[in-house]
Amino acid sequence: MSISKLAIACSVALGAMTLTLAPASFAATAEANPKAVKAKPKAKTTKAKAAAKEAHPLAMSVADKEEADEPNTTGSASTDFNCELGNKITIYTNATDDKHIALRWKKRLHRLSRVGTTTGANRFENRLYGLVWIGIPAKGMLLDSKQGRQLANECKDEEQAKPAAVVEAPPSLGVLPVTGG
């Protein structure tokens, strides 16, 4: 058994003992061995940090608060997207603000902010909830960046869902049509 595992086992045993001791016994133990009683505080997990932010709304940054609040869609143009597996998404855009969109997903409205790309795709994110909307001319997709998975794919609005026009190939220049006679 390694020294670190032994130290952890001793810490756990000591912690269990301190919980069962009476306060007077605890004071006696602390006097006898002060180093053994001190324990390192555990680091906060991301869930604990998120809960702390929700418990203390003043602790949230302005950007987090904007992402947490449900956006106002009054006067916004809406576009409905039908996705694979029967998923539906509605995107609300405002002509005066091209830096943000509102996205309705699973009966909840989220505010997403534009993120620059080198490909020309429209990318919007809500870092608080981990939502990422990527729109390209052929389709859109919704991703969950926290869990690293797709939420909706092959999302198309009415215009994108129209079948592509069939373009006839022009006759090749080197071959003339055969005519009888």
Side-chain angles (χ1 to χ4, degrees), residues 27-39:
T29 305
E31 290 172 6
N33 192 359
K35 290 184 179 178
V37 175
K38 291 183 181 179

Side-chain angles (χ1 to χ4, degrees), residues 2 7 11 14 21-22 27 31 34 41-42 44-45 56 60 62 93-94 107 110 119 135 146 162 172 178-181:
S2 71
S11 298
L14 243 169
L21 294 175
E31 290 172 6
K42 290 186 178 180
K44 286 187 177 180
T45 63
H56 301 289
M60 294 178 81
V62 174
T93 56
N94 192 332
K107 300 182 181 179
H110 299 275
T119 62
K146 289 189 176 188
K162 289 180 183 175
S172 64
V178 178
T179 58

Side-chain angles (χ1 to χ4, degrees), residues 4-105:
S4 62
K5 288 183 181 178
L6 183 61
I8 292 172
C10 288
S11 298
V12 170
L14 243 169
M17 285 178 30
T18 58
L19 291 176
T20 57
L21 294 175
S25 299
F26 180 74
T29 305
E31 290 172 6
N33 192 359
K35 290 184 179 178
V37 175
K38 291 183 181 179
K40 281 188 175 180
K42 290 186 178 180
K44 286 187 177 180
T45 63
T46 55
K47 288 183 182 179
K49 287 180 184 177
K53 282 185 178 181
E54 289 177 9
H56 301 289
L58 296 177
M60 294 178 81
S61 71
V62 174
D64 287 345
K65 183 148 177 53
E66 285 180 355
E67 288 184 349
D69 291 342
E70 191 164 296
N72 183 2
T73 58
T74 307
S76 298
S78 67
T79 306
D80 294 321
F81 289 84
N82 293 315
C83 309
E84 67 182 1
L85 305 174
N87 292 315
K88 297 193 181 300
I89 293 175
T90 303
I91 294 193
Y92 299 90
T93 56
N94 192 332
T96 61
D97 182 12
D98 67 341
K99 301 281 186 214
H100 300 94
I101 62 170
L103 182 136
R104 181 171 301 282
W105 166 251

Side-chain angles (χ1 to χ4, degrees), residues 141-159:
M141 68 176 71
L142 184 64
L143 308 172
D144 182 340
S145 65
K146 289 189 176 188
Q147 295 183 357
R149 64 184 181 103
Q150 290 183 5
L151 297 174
N153 197 355
E154 294 295 326
C155 300
K156 297 182 179 187
D157 62 10
E158 287 182 17
E159 188 67 30

Side-chain angles (χ1 to χ4, degrees), residues 98-101 112-117 120-125:
D98 67 341
K99 301 281 186 214
H100 300 94
I101 62 170
L112 283 76
S113 301
R114 181 179 294 277
V115 176
T117 64
N122 291 315
R123 180 183 173 112
F124 293 88
E125 289 186 17

